[in-house]
Coordinates of all heavy atoms in Angstrom, one line a residue:
M16 N -2.8 -0.5 -26.9 CA -4.2 -0.6 -26.8 C -4.6 -2.1 -27.1 O -4.1 -2.8 -27.9 CB -4.8 0.2 -27.9 CG -6.3 0.4 -27.8 SD -7.0 1.6 -28.9 CE -6.0 3.1 -28.5
A17 N -5.6 -2.6 -26.3 CA -6.0 -4.0 -26.4 C -6.7 -4.3 -27.7 O -7.2 -3.4 -28.4 CB -7.0 -4.3 -25.3
D18 N -6.6 -5.5 -28.2 CA -7.1 -6.0 -29.4 C -8.6 -6.1 -29.3 O -9.2 -6.6 -28.3 CB -6.5 -7.3 -29.7 CG -6.7 -7.8 -31.1 OD1 -6.9 -7.0 -32.0 OD2 -6.9 -9.0 -31.3
F19 N -9.3 -5.6 -30.3 CA -10.8 -5.6 -30.3 C -11.3 -7.1 -30.3 O -12.4 -7.3 -29.8 CB -11.4 -4.9 -31.6 CG -11.3 -3.4 -31.4 CD1 -10.4 -2.7 -32.1 CD2 -12.0 -2.8 -30.4 CE1 -10.3 -1.2 -32.0 CE2 -12.0 -1.4 -30.3 CZ -11.1 -0.7 -31.1
E20 N -10.6 -8.1 -31.0 CA -11.1 -9.4 -30.9 C -11.0 -10.0 -29.5 O -11.9 -10.7 -29.1 CB -10.3 -10.3 -31.8 CG -10.5 -10.1 -33.3 CD -10.2 -8.8 -33.9 OE1 -9.1 -8.2 -33.6 OE2 -10.9 -8.2 -34.8
K21 N -10.0 -9.6 -28.8 CA -10.0 -10.0 -27.3 C -11.2 -9.5 -26.6 O -11.7 -10.2 -25.8 CB -8.7 -9.6 -26.7 CG -8.5 -10.0 -25.3 CD -7.3 -9.6 -24.6 CE -7.2 -10.0 -23.2 NZ -6.0 -9.5 -22.5
M22 N -11.5 -8.2 -26.8 CA -12.6 -7.6 -26.2 C -14.0 -8.4 -26.5 O -14.7 -8.7 -25.6 CB -12.8 -6.2 -26.6 CG -14.0 -5.5 -26.0 SD -14.4 -3.9 -26.8 CE -14.8 -4.4 -28.4
H23 N -14.1 -8.8 -27.8 CA -15.3 -9.5 -28.1 C -15.3 -10.9 -27.5 O -16.4 -11.5 -27.2 CB -15.4 -9.7 -29.6 CG -16.3 -8.5 -30.2 ND1 -17.6 -8.6 -30.2 CD2 -16.0 -7.4 -30.8 CE1 -18.1 -7.5 -30.7 NE2 -17.1 -6.8 -31.1
S24 N -14.1 -11.5 -27.3 CA -14.1 -12.8 -26.7 C -14.5 -12.8 -25.2 O -15.0 -13.8 -24.6 CB -12.7 -13.4 -26.8 OG -11.8 -12.7 -25.9
L25 N -14.4 -11.6 -24.6 CA -14.8 -11.4 -23.1 C -16.3 -11.2 -23.1 O -16.9 -11.3 -22.0 CB -14.1 -10.3 -22.6 CG -12.6 -10.3 -22.4 CD1 -11.9 -9.0 -22.0 CD2 -12.3 -11.5 -21.4
A26 N -17.0 -10.9 -24.2 CA -18.5 -10.6 -24.2 C -19.2 -11.9 -24.3 O -19.0 -12.8 -25.1 CB -18.8 -9.7 -25.3
S27 N -20.3 -11.9 -23.5 CA -21.2 -13.0 -23.5 C -22.3 -12.7 -24.6 O -22.6 -11.6 -24.9 CB -21.9 -13.2 -22.2 OG -23.0 -14.1 -22.2
A28 N -22.7 -13.8 -25.3 CA -23.7 -13.6 -26.4 C -25.1 -13.1 -26.0 O -25.7 -12.4 -26.8 CB -23.9 -14.9 -27.1
K29 N -25.4 -13.4 -24.7 CA -26.8 -13.0 -24.3 C -26.9 -12.0 -23.2 O -27.9 -11.5 -22.8 CB -27.6 -14.2 -23.8 CG -27.8 -15.2 -24.9 CD -28.6 -16.4 -24.5 CE -28.7 -17.4 -25.6 NZ -29.4 -18.6 -25.2
S30 N -25.7 -11.5 -22.8 CA -25.7 -10.5 -21.7 C -26.1 -9.2 -22.2 O -25.8 -8.7 -23.3 CB -24.2 -10.3 -21.2 OG -23.8 -11.5 -20.6
I31 N -26.9 -8.5 -21.4 CA -27.5 -7.2 -21.7 C -26.8 -6.2 -20.9 O -26.7 -6.3 -19.6 CB -28.9 -7.1 -21.4 CG1 -29.7 -8.2 -22.2 CG2 -29.5 -5.7 -21.7 CD1 -29.7 -8.0 -23.7
R32 N -26.2 -5.1 -21.5 CA -25.5 -4.1 -20.8 C -26.1 -2.7 -21.2 O -26.8 -2.5 -22.2 CB -23.9 -4.1 -21.1 CG -23.3 -5.4 -20.8 CD -23.2 -5.6 -19.3 NE -22.5 -6.7 -18.9 CZ -23.1 -7.9 -18.4 NH1 -24.4 -7.9 -18.3 NH2 -22.3 -8.9 -18.0
M33 N -25.7 -1.7 -20.4 CA -26.2 -0.4 -20.6 C -25.2 0.6 -21.0 O -24.0 0.6 -20.5 CB -26.9 0.2 -19.2 CG -27.5 1.5 -19.5 SD -28.4 2.1 -17.9 CE -27.1 2.1 -16.7
C34 N -25.5 1.4 -22.1 CA -24.5 2.4 -22.5 C -24.5 3.6 -21.4 O -25.6 4.1 -20.9 CB -25.0 3.0 -23.9 SG -24.1 4.5 -24.4
V35 N -23.4 4.0 -21.0 CA -23.4 5.0 -19.9 C -23.8 6.4 -20.4 O -24.1 7.3 -19.6 CB -21.9 5.2 -19.3 CG1 -21.5 3.9 -18.7 CG2 -20.8 5.6 -20.4
V36 N -23.8 6.6 -21.7 CA -24.2 7.9 -22.2 C -25.7 8.0 -22.4 O -26.4 8.9 -21.8 CB -23.5 8.3 -23.5 CG1 -24.0 9.7 -24.1 CG2 -22.0 8.4 -23.3
C37 N -26.3 7.2 -23.2 CA -27.8 7.3 -23.5 C -28.6 6.4 -22.6 O -29.8 6.6 -22.5 CB -28.1 6.8 -24.9 SG -27.7 5.1 -25.2
R38 N -28.0 5.5 -21.8 CA -28.6 4.6 -20.7 C -29.6 3.7 -21.4 O -30.4 3.1 -20.7 CB -29.2 5.5 -19.6 CG -28.2 6.5 -19.0 CD -28.5 7.1 -17.8 NE -29.0 6.3 -16.7 CZ -28.1 5.8 -15.8 NH1 -26.9 5.9 -16.0 NH2 -28.6 5.1 -14.8
N39 N -29.5 3.4 -22.7 CA -30.3 2.4 -23.3 C -29.5 1.0 -23.1 O -28.3 1.0 -23.0 CB -30.4 2.6 -24.8 CG -31.4 3.7 -25.1 OD1 -32.4 4.0 -24.4 ND2 -31.1 4.6 -26.0
R40 N -30.3 -0.1 -23.3 CA -29.7 -1.4 -23.0 C -29.6 -2.1 -24.4 O -30.4 -1.9 -25.3 CB -30.6 -2.2 -22.1 CG -30.7 -1.5 -20.7 CD -31.5 -2.4 -19.7 NE -31.8 -1.6 -18.5 CZ -30.9 -1.3 -17.6 NH1 -29.6 -1.6 -17.7 NH2 -31.2 -0.6 -16.6
F41 N -28.4 -2.8 -24.4 CA -28.0 -3.5 -25.7 C -27.4 -4.9 -25.3 O -26.9 -5.0 -24.2 CB -27.0 -2.7 -26.5 CG -27.4 -1.3 -26.9 CD1 -27.2 -0.2 -26.0 CD2 -28.0 -1.1 -28.1 CE1 -27.6 1.0 -26.4 CE2 -28.5 0.1 -28.5 CZ -28.2 1.2 -27.7
V42 N -27.4 -5.7 -26.3 CA -26.6 -7.0 -26.2 C -25.1 -6.6 -26.1 O -24.6 -5.7 -26.8 CB -26.9 -7.9 -27.4 CG1 -26.0 -9.1 -27.3 CG2 -28.3 -8.2 -27.5
Q43 N -24.4 -7.2 -25.1 CA -23.1 -6.8 -24.8 C -22.1 -6.8 -26.0 O -21.3 -5.9 -26.1 CB -22.4 -7.8 -23.7 CG -21.1 -7.4 -23.2 CD -20.6 -8.3 -22.2 OE1 -21.3 -9.3 -21.8 NE2 -19.4 -8.0 -21.6
K44 N -22.2 -7.8 -26.9 CA -21.4 -7.8 -28.1 C -21.5 -6.6 -29.1 O -20.6 -6.4 -29.8 CB -21.5 -9.1 -28.8 CG -22.8 -9.3 -29.5 CD -22.8 -10.6 -30.2 CE -24.2 -10.7 -31.0 NZ -24.1 -11.5 -32.2
D45 N -22.6 -5.9 -28.9 CA -22.8 -4.8 -29.8 C -22.2 -3.4 -29.3 O -22.4 -2.4 -29.9 CB -24.2 -4.6 -30.1 CG -24.9 -5.7 -30.9 OD1 -24.2 -6.5 -31.6 OD2 -26.1 -6.0 -30.8
L46 N -21.7 -3.5 -28.1 CA -21.2 -2.2 -27.4 C -19.7 -2.3 -27.3 O -19.1 -3.3 -27.4 CB -21.7 -2.2 -25.9 CG -23.2 -2.2 -25.8 CD1 -23.6 -2.3 -24.3 CD2 -23.8 -0.8 -26.3
L47 N -19.2 -1.1 -27.3 CA -17.7 -0.9 -27.1 C -17.4 -0.8 -25.6 O -18.0 0.0 -24.9 CB -17.2 0.3 -27.7 CG -15.7 0.7 -27.6 CD1 -14.8 -0.4 -28.1 CD2 -15.4 2.0 -28.3
R48 N -16.6 -1.7 -25.1 CA -16.2 -1.7 -23.6 C -14.9 -1.0 -23.3 O -13.9 -1.3 -24.0 CB -16.2 -3.2 -23.1 CG -16.0 -3.3 -21.7 CD -16.2 -4.7 -21.3 NE -16.3 -4.9 -19.8 CZ -16.3 -6.1 -19.3 NH1 -16.5 -7.2 -19.9 NH2 -16.3 -6.2 -17.9
L49 N -15.0 0.0 -22.5 CA -13.7 0.8 -22.2 C -13.5 0.9 -20.7 O -14.3 0.5 -19.9 CB -14.0 2.2 -22.7 CG -14.3 2.5 -24.2 CD1 -14.7 3.9 -24.4 CD2 -13.1 2.0 -25.1
S50 N -12.3 1.3 -20.4 CA -12.0 1.5 -19.0 C -11.0 2.7 -18.8 O -10.4 3.0 -19.7 CB -11.2 0.2 -18.4 OG -10.0 0.0 -19.0
M51 N -11.2 3.4 -17.7 CA -10.4 4.5 -17.3 C -9.4 4.0 -16.3 O -9.8 3.5 -15.3 CB -11.2 5.7 -16.8 CG -11.8 6.5 -17.8 SD -10.7 7.5 -18.8 CE -10.1 8.6 -17.6
R52 N -8.1 4.2 -16.6 CA -7.1 3.9 -15.6 C -6.2 5.1 -15.4 O -6.3 6.1 -16.1 CB -6.3 2.7 -16.1 CG -7.2 1.4 -16.4 CD -6.9 0.2 -15.6 NE -5.8 -0.7 -15.8 CZ -5.6 -1.5 -16.9 NH1 -6.4 -1.4 -18.0 NH2 -4.7 -2.4 -16.9
G53 N -5.2 4.9 -14.6 CA -4.3 6.0 -14.2 C -3.7 6.6 -15.5 O -3.3 7.7 -15.6
D54 N -3.4 5.6 -16.4 CA -2.6 6.0 -17.7 C -3.6 6.4 -18.8 O -3.2 6.6 -19.9 CB -1.7 5.0 -18.1 CG -2.3 3.6 -18.2 OD1 -3.4 3.4 -17.8 OD2 -1.6 2.7 -18.8
G55 N -4.8 6.6 -18.6 CA -5.8 7.1 -19.6 C -6.9 6.1 -20.0 O -7.1 5.1 -19.2
L56 N -7.6 6.5 -21.0 CA -8.7 5.6 -21.5 C -8.1 4.5 -22.3 O -7.3 4.8 -23.2 CB -9.6 6.6 -22.4 CG -10.8 6.0 -23.0 CD1 -11.8 5.7 -21.8 CD2 -11.4 7.0 -23.9
K57 N -8.8 3.3 -22.2 CA -8.3 2.2 -22.9 C -9.5 1.3 -23.3 O -10.5 1.4 -22.6 CB -7.3 1.3 -22.1 CG -6.1 2.0 -21.8 CD -5.1 1.1 -21.2 CE -3.9 1.8 -20.8 NZ -2.7 1.4 -21.6
V58 N -9.3 0.4 -24.4 CA -10.3 -0.5 -24.6 C -10.1 -1.6 -23.5 O -8.9 -1.9 -23.1 CB -10.0 -1.2 -26.0 CG1 -10.9 -2.4 -26.2 CG2 -10.1 -0.2 -27.1
F59 N -11.1 -2.1 -23.0 CA -11.1 -3.0 -21.8 C -10.3 -4.2 -22.1 O -10.5 -4.8 -23.2 CB -12.5 -3.3 -21.4 CG -12.6 -4.2 -20.2 CD1 -12.3 -3.6 -19.0 CD2 -12.9 -5.6 -20.2 CE1 -12.3 -4.5 -17.8 CE2 -13.0 -6.3 -19.0 CZ -12.7 -5.8 -17.9
D60 N -9.3 -4.5 -21.2 CA -8.4 -5.6 -21.3 C -8.6 -6.7 -20.4 O -7.8 -7.6 -20.3 CB -7.0 -5.2 -21.4 CG -6.5 -4.4 -20.0 OD1 -7.4 -4.3 -19.2 OD2 -5.5 -4.0 -20.0
G61 N -9.7 -6.7 -19.6 CA -10.1 -7.8 -18.7 C -9.8 -7.5 -17.2 O -10.0 -8.3 -16.3
Y62 N -9.1 -6.3 -17.0 CA -8.7 -5.9 -15.7 C -9.4 -4.6 -15.2 O -9.4 -3.6 -16.0 CB -7.2 -5.8 -15.6 CG -6.4 -7.0 -15.9 CD1 -5.9 -7.2 -17.1 CD2 -6.4 -8.1 -15.0 CE1 -5.3 -8.4 -17.5 CE2 -5.7 -9.2 -15.3 CZ -5.2 -9.4 -16.5 OH -4.5 -10.6 -16.8
G63 N -9.9 -4.6 -14.0 CA -10.5 -3.4 -13.5 C -11.9 -3.1 -13.8 O -12.6 -3.9 -14.5
R64 N -12.4 -2.0 -13.6 CA -13.7 -1.6 -13.8 C -13.9 -1.0 -15.2 O -12.9 -0.5 -15.8 CB -14.2 -0.5 -12.8 CG -14.3 -1.1 -11.3 CD -14.9 -0.1 -10.4 NE -16.1 0.4 -10.7 CZ -17.3 -0.1 -10.4 NH1 -17.3 -1.2 -9.7 NH2 -18.4 0.5 -10.7
S65 N -15.0 -1.2 -15.9 CA -15.2 -0.8 -17.2 C -16.6 -0.2 -17.4 O -17.4 -0.2 -16.5 CB -15.1 -1.9 -18.2 OG -16.1 -2.9 -18.0
F66 N -16.8 0.4 -18.6 CA -18.1 1.0 -19.0 C -18.3 0.7 -20.5 O -17.4 0.4 -21.2 CB -18.2 2.4 -18.6 CG -17.1 3.3 -19.2 CD1 -17.5 4.0 -20.5 CD2 -15.9 3.4 -18.6 CE1 -16.4 4.8 -21.1 CE2 -14.9 4.2 -19.2 CZ -15.2 4.9 -20.4
Y67 N -19.6 0.9 -20.9 CA -19.9 0.5 -22.3 C -20.4 1.7 -23.0 O -21.1 2.6 -22.4 CB -21.1 -0.5 -22.3 CG -20.6 -1.9 -21.7 CD1 -20.7 -2.1 -20.4 CD2 -20.0 -2.8 -22.5 CE1 -20.3 -3.4 -19.9 CE2 -19.7 -4.1 -22.1 CZ -19.8 -4.3 -20.7 OH -19.5 -5.5 -20.2
L68 N -20.2 1.8 -24.3 CA -20.7 2.8 -25.2 C -21.4 2.2 -26.4 O -20.8 1.2 -27.0 CB -19.7 3.7 -25.8 CG -19.0 4.7 -24.6 CD1 -17.8 5.5 -25.4 CD2 -20.1 5.6 -24.1
C69 N -22.6 2.7 -26.8 CA -23.3 2.1 -27.9 C -22.8 2.8 -29.2 O -22.2 3.8 -29.1 CB -24.8 2.3 -27.8 SG -25.4 4.0 -27.9
P70 N -22.9 2.2 -30.4 CA -22.5 2.8 -31.7 C -23.0 4.2 -31.9 O -22.3 5.0 -32.5 CB -22.9 1.8 -32.7 CG -23.0 0.5 -32.0 CD -23.5 0.8 -30.6
E71 N -24.3 4.3 -31.6 CA -25.0 5.7 -31.8 C -24.2 6.8 -31.0 O -24.0 7.9 -31.5 CB -26.5 5.7 -31.4 CG -27.3 4.8 -32.4 CD -27.2 3.3 -32.1 OE1 -26.9 3.0 -30.9 OE2 -27.4 2.5 -32.9
C72 N -24.0 6.5 -29.7 CA -23.3 7.4 -28.9 C -21.8 7.7 -29.3 O -21.3 8.8 -29.2 CB -23.4 7.0 -27.5 SG -25.0 7.2 -26.8
L73 N -21.2 6.7 -29.9 CA -19.9 6.9 -30.4 C -19.9 7.9 -31.5 O -18.9 8.7 -31.8 CB -19.3 5.5 -30.9 CG -18.8 4.6 -29.9 CD1 -18.4 3.3 -30.5 CD2 -17.6 5.2 -29.2
K74 N -20.9 7.9 -32.4 CA -21.0 8.8 -33.5 C -21.5 10.2 -33.2 O -21.2 11.2 -34.0 CB -21.9 8.2 -34.5 CG -21.5 6.9 -35.2 CD -22.5 6.3 -36.0 CE -22.0 5.0 -36.5 NZ -23.1 4.3 -37.3
N75 N -22.1 10.4 -32.1 CA -22.6 11.7 -31.7 C -21.5 12.5 -30.9 O -21.0 12.2 -29.9 CB -23.8 11.4 -30.7 CG -24.5 12.7 -30.4 OD1 -24.0 13.8 -30.6 ND2 -25.7 12.5 -29.8
P76 N -21.2 13.7 -31.5 CA -20.2 14.5 -30.8 C -20.5 15.0 -29.4 O -19.6 15.2 -28.7 CB -20.0 15.6 -31.8 CG -20.8 15.4 -33.0 CD -21.6 14.2 -32.8
K77 N -21.9 15.2 -29.1 CA -22.3 15.7 -27.9 C -22.0 14.6 -26.9 O -21.9 14.9 -25.6 CB -23.7 16.0 -27.9 CG -24.0 17.3 -28.7 CD -25.5 17.7 -28.7 CE -25.7 19.0 -29.4 NZ -27.0 19.5 -29.3
S78 N -22.0 13.4 -27.2 CA -21.8 12.2 -26.3 C -20.3 12.4 -25.5 O -20.2 12.0 -24.4 CB -21.8 10.8 -27.0 OG -23.0 10.7 -27.5
E79 N -19.4 12.9 -26.4 CA -18.0 13.1 -25.8 C -18.1 14.0 -24.6 O -17.5 13.8 -23.5 CB -17.1 13.6 -26.8 CG -15.7 13.7 -26.3 CD -14.8 14.3 -27.5 OE1 -14.9 14.1 -28.6 OE2 -13.8 15.0 -27.0
D80 N -18.9 15.1 -24.7 CA -19.1 16.0 -23.6 C -19.6 15.3 -22.4 O -19.2 15.5 -21.2 CB -19.8 17.2 -24.0 CG -19.0 18.1 -25.0 OD1 -17.8 18.0 -25.0 OD2 -19.7 18.7 -25.8
R81 N -20.7 14.6 -22.6 CA -21.4 13.8 -21.5 C -20.5 12.9 -20.9 O -20.5 12.7 -19.7 CB -22.7 13.2 -22.1 CG -23.4 12.5 -21.0 CD -24.9 12.4 -21.4 NE -25.6 11.3 -20.5 CZ -25.9 11.5 -19.2 NH1 -25.6 12.6 -18.6 NH2 -26.5 10.5 -18.6
L82 N -19.8 12.1 -21.7 CA -18.9 11.0 -21.1 C -17.7 11.7 -20.4 O -17.4 11.2 -19.3 CB -18.3 10.2 -22.3 CG -17.7 9.0 -22.0 CD1 -18.5 8.1 -21.1 CD2 -17.0 8.3 -23.2
A83 N -17.3 12.9 -20.8 CA -16.2 13.6 -20.1 C -16.7 14.0 -18.8 O -15.9 13.9 -17.8 CB -15.8 14.8 -21.0
K84 N -17.9 14.4 -18.7 CA -18.5 14.7 -17.4 C -18.6 13.6 -16.5 O -18.3 13.7 -15.3 CB -19.8 15.4 -17.6 CG -20.5 16.0 -16.4 CD -21.8 16.8 -16.7 CE -22.5 17.2 -15.5 NZ -23.7 18.0 -15.7
I85 N -19.1 12.5 -17.0 CA -19.4 11.2 -16.2 C -18.1 10.7 -15.7 O -18.0 10.3 -14.5 CB -20.1 10.3 -17.1 CG1 -21.5 10.7 -17.3 CG2 -20.2 8.9 -16.3 CD1 -22.2 9.9 -18.4
K86 N -17.1 10.6 -16.5 CA -15.8 9.9 -16.2 C -14.7 10.9 -16.0 O -13.6 10.4 -15.8 CB -15.5 9.0 -17.4 CG -16.5 7.8 -17.6 CD -16.5 6.9 -16.4 CE -17.5 5.8 -16.5 NZ -17.6 5.0 -15.3
K87 N -15.0 12.1 -15.9 CA -14.0 13.2 -15.7 C -12.7 13.0 -16.5 O -11.6 12.8 -16.0 CB -13.5 13.0 -14.2 CG -14.7 13.3 -13.2 CD -14.4 13.2 -11.8 CE -15.5 13.6 -10.8 NZ -16.7 12.8 -10.9
F88 N -13.0 13.1 -17.8 CA -12.0 13.0 -18.8 C -11.1 14.3 -18.7 O -11.5 15.3 -18.5 CB -12.5 13.0 -20.2 CG -13.0 11.7 -20.6 CD1 -13.2 10.6 -19.8 CD2 -13.3 11.4 -22.0 CE1 -13.5 9.3 -20.3 CE2 -13.7 10.2 -22.4 CZ -13.9 9.2 -21.6
D89 N -9.8 14.1 -19.0 CA -8.9 15.2 -19.3 C -8.6 15.3 -20.8 O -9.2 14.6 -21.6 CB -7.6 15.0 -18.5 CG -6.8 13.8 -18.8 OD1 -7.2 13.1 -19.8 OD2 -5.9 13.5 -18.1
A90 N -7.8 16.2 -21.2 CA -7.6 16.4 -22.7 C -6.9 15.1 -23.3 O -7.3 14.8 -24.4 CB -6.6 17.6 -22.9
Q91 N -6.1 14.5 -22.6 CA -5.5 13.3 -23.1 C -6.5 12.2 -23.4 O -6.5 11.5 -24.4 CB -4.4 12.7 -22.2 CG -3.7 11.5 -22.7 CD -2.8 10.9 -21.6 OE1 -2.6 11.4 -20.5 NE2 -2.1 9.9 -22.0
A92 N -7.4 12.1 -22.4 CA -8.5 11.0 -22.6 C -9.4 11.3 -23.7 O -9.9 10.5 -24.4 CB -9.3 10.8 -21.2
R93 N -9.7 12.6 -23.9 CA -10.6 13.0 -25.0 C -9.9 12.6 -26.3 O -10.4 12.1 -27.3 CB -10.9 14.5 -25.0 CG -11.9 15.0 -24.0 CD -12.0 16.4 -24.0 NE -13.0 16.8 -23.0 CZ -14.3 17.1 -23.3 NH1 -14.7 17.2 -24.6 NH2 -15.2 17.5 -22.4
H94 N -8.5 12.9 -26.4 CA -7.8 12.5 -27.6 C -7.8 10.9 -27.8 O -8.0 10.5 -28.9 CB -6.4 13.1 -27.6 CG -5.5 12.6 -28.7 ND1 -5.7 13.2 -29.9 CD2 -4.5 11.7 -28.8 CE1 -4.8 12.7 -30.8 NE2 -4.1 11.8 -30.1
Q95 N -7.6 10.2 -26.7 CA -7.6 8.8 -26.8 C -9.1 8.2 -27.3 O -9.1 7.2 -28.0 CB -7.3 8.1 -25.4 CG -5.8 8.4 -25.1 CD -5.5 8.0 -23.6 OE1 -6.4 8.2 -22.8 NE2 -4.3 7.7 -23.3
M96 N -10.1 8.9 -26.7 CA -11.5 8.5 -27.2 C -11.6 8.7 -28.6 O -12.2 7.8 -29.3 CB -12.4 9.4 -26.4 CG -13.9 9.1 -26.7 SD -14.2 7.5 -25.9 CE -15.8 7.3 -26.6
K97 N -11.1 9.7 -29.3 CA -11.1 9.9 -30.7 C -10.5 8.8 -31.4 O -10.9 8.3 -32.5 CB -10.7 11.3 -31.1 CG -11.6 12.4 -30.6 CD -11.1 13.8 -30.9 CE -12.0 14.8 -30.3 NZ -11.5 16.2 -30.5
E98 N -9.3 8.4 -31.0 CA -8.5 7.4 -31.6 C -9.3 6.0 -31.5 O -9.4 5.3 -32.5 CB -7.2 7.2 -31.0 CG -6.2 8.4 -31.2 CD -4.9 8.2 -30.4 OE1 -4.7 7.2 -29.7 OE2 -4.0 9.1 -30.6
I99 N -9.9 5.8 -30.4 CA -10.7 4.5 -30.1 C -11.8 4.5 -31.1 O -12.2 3.5 -31.7 CB -11.1 4.4 -28.7 CG1 -9.8 4.0 -27.8 CG2 -12.1 3.3 -28.5 CD1 -10.0 4.1 -26.4
I100 N -12.6 5.6 -31.3 CA -13.7 5.7 -32.1 C -13.3 5.4 -33.6 O -14.0 4.6 -34.3 CB -14.4 7.1 -32.1 CG1 -15.0 7.2 -30.7 CG2 -15.4 7.3 -33.2 CD1 -15.6 8.6 -30.4
V101 N -12.2 6.0 -34.0 CA -11.7 5.7 -35.4 C -11.4 4.1 -35.7 O -11.9 3.6 -36.6 CB -10.4 6.5 -35.8 CG1 -9.8 6.0 -37.0 CG2 -10.8 8.0 -35.8
L102 N -10.8 3.6 -34.6 CA -10.5 2.1 -34.7 C -11.8 1.3 -34.7 O -12.0 0.3 -35.4 CB -9.6 1.7 -33.5 CG -8.1 2.2 -33.6 CD1 -7.5 1.8 -32.4 CD2 -7.5 1.5 -34.8
W103 N -12.7 1.6 -33.8 CA -14.0 1.0 -33.8 C -14.8 1.1 -35.1 O -15.3 0.0 -35.6 CB -14.8 1.5 -32.6 CG -16.3 0.9 -32.5 CD1 -17.4 1.5 -32.9 CD2 -16.6 -0.2 -31.8 NE1 -18.4 0.7 -32.5 CE2 -17.9 -0.4 -31.9 CE3 -15.8 -1.3 -31.2 CZ2 -18.5 -1.5 -31.4 CZ3 -16.4 -2.4 -30.7 CH2 -17.8 -2.5 -30.8
E104 N -14.8 2.2 -35.7 CA -15.5 2.5 -36.9 C -14.9 1.6 -38.1 O -15.6 1.1 -38.9 CB -15.6 3.9 -37.3 CG -16.5 4.6 -36.4 CD -16.6 6.1 -36.7 OE1 -15.7 6.6 -37.3 OE2 -17.4 6.7 -36.1
S105 N -13.6 1.6 -38.1 CA -12.8 0.8 -39.2 C -13.1 -0.7 -39.0 O -13.3 -1.4 -40.0 CB -11.4 1.2 -39.2 OG -10.7 0.8 -38.0
R106 N -13.2 -1.1 -37.7 CA -13.4 -2.5 -37.4 C -14.8 -2.9 -37.8 O -15.0 -3.9 -38.5 CB -13.1 -2.8 -35.9 CG -13.4 -4.3 -35.6 CD -13.3 -4.5 -34.2 NE -13.6 -5.8 -33.8 CZ -14.9 -6.3 -33.8 NH1 -15.8 -5.5 -34.1 NH2 -15.0 -7.6 -33.5
S107 N -15.7 -2.0 -37.6 CA -17.1 -2.3 -37.9 C -17.3 -2.4 -39.4 O -18.0 -3.2 -40.0 CB -18.0 -1.1 -37.3 OG -18.0 -1.1 -35.9
R108 N -16.7 -1.5 -40.2 CA -16.7 -1.4 -41.6 C -16.1 -2.8 -42.2 O -16.7 -3.4 -43.1 CB -16.0 -0.3 -42.2 CG -16.8 1.0 -42.3 CD -16.1 2.0 -43.1 NE -14.8 2.3 -42.6 CZ -14.6 3.3 -41.8 NH1 -15.5 4.2 -41.3 NH2 -13.4 3.6 -41.4
N109 N -15.0 -3.3 -41.6 CA -14.4 -4.5 -42.0 C -15.2 -5.7 -41.8 O -15.4 -6.5 -42.6 CB -13.1 -4.7 -41.4 CG -12.0 -3.7 -41.8 OD1 -12.1 -3.1 -42.9 ND2 -11.0 -3.5 -41.0
L110 N -16.1 -5.7 -40.6 CA -17.0 -6.7 -40.3 C -18.1 -6.8 -41.3 O -18.6 -7.9 -41.7 CB -17.5 -6.7 -38.9 CG -16.4 -7.0 -37.8 CD1 -17.1 -6.8 -36.5 CD2 -16.0 -8.5 -37.9
L111 N -18.6 -5.6 -41.8 CA -19.7 -5.5 -42.7 C -19.4 -6.1 -44.1 O -20.1 -6.6 -44.7 CB -20.3 -4.1 -42.7 CG -21.0 -3.6 -41.5 CD1 -21.4 -2.2 -41.6 CD2 -22.3 -4.4 -41.2
Q112 N -18.1 -5.8 -44.4 CA -17.6 -6.2 -45.8 C -17.3 -7.7 -45.8 O -17.4 -8.3 -46.9 CB -16.4 -5.3 -46.1 CG -16.7 -4.0 -46.4 CD -15.4 -3.1 -46.6 OE1 -14.3 -3.7 -46.5 NE2 -15.6 -1.9 -46.9
S113 N -17.1 -8.3 -44.7 CA -16.8 -9.7 -44.6 C -18.0 -10.6 -45.0 O -19.1 -10.4 -44.7 CB -16.2 -10.1 -43.3 OG -15.0 -9.5 -43.1

């Protein structure tokens, strides 16, 4: 899985992006950027197409169903999504404590 710091280095400070679940717009650095590839769901590593999720949608269990419908997730991708959410939340807590 790609490093979250690398993901933030790819984000522009003033770019506005849209969450694919709630369709609200946010500053790019506040969103989680993911990509679906043949080998499953991954944190965006700079290659291929990607999509964004906001922190509110990450916490909402119904968002997973909506995202699965949009991106045609299979069971493996759903499991990967849960792992990514746990990593994102732990990283967010560490940033707040710093």
Side-chain angles (χ1 to χ4, degrees):
M16 192 173 303
D18 190 32
F19 284 110
E20 280 70 35
K21 180 179 177 184
M22 177 189 64
H23 267 280
S24 70
L25 296 171
S27 171
K29 296 181 182 177
S30 295
I31 303 296
R32 300 291 184 256
M33 183 173 63
C34 172
V35 296
V36 176
C37 67
R38 304 188 61 81
N39 289 322
R40 298 185 191 287
F41 300 89
V42 176
Q43 183 177 7
K44 67 179 183 150
D45 295 338
L46 299 170
L47 176 60
R48 189 173 185 181
L49 302 170
S50 65
M51 278 294 292
R52 301 241 282 300
D54 52 348
L56 181 69
K57 296 186 180 251
V58 173
F59 184 67
D60 58 3
Y62 299 102
R64 295 182 57 88
S65 64
F66 58 95
Y67 296 90
L68 291 175
C69 69
E71 292 81 26
C72 289
L73 282 173
K74 295 174 188 174
N75 186 348
K77 290 184 179 183
S78 296
E79 184 182 328
D80 294 332
R81 177 154 166 74
L82 190 59
K84 184 178 179 181
I85 294 169
K86 295 295 177 184
K87 298 178 177 58
F88 279 12
D89 58 8
Q91 178 186 4
R93 284 178 180 256
H94 179 70
Q95 292 167 333
M96 182 70 186
K97 289 177 185 174
E98 290 176 357
I99 290 170
I100 290 169
V101 169
L102 288 172
W103 177 260
E104 289 174 347
S105 68
R106 183 187 172 281
S107 296
R108 278 192 299 269
N109 290 341
L110 287 175
L111 289 174
Q112 292 174 354
S113 298

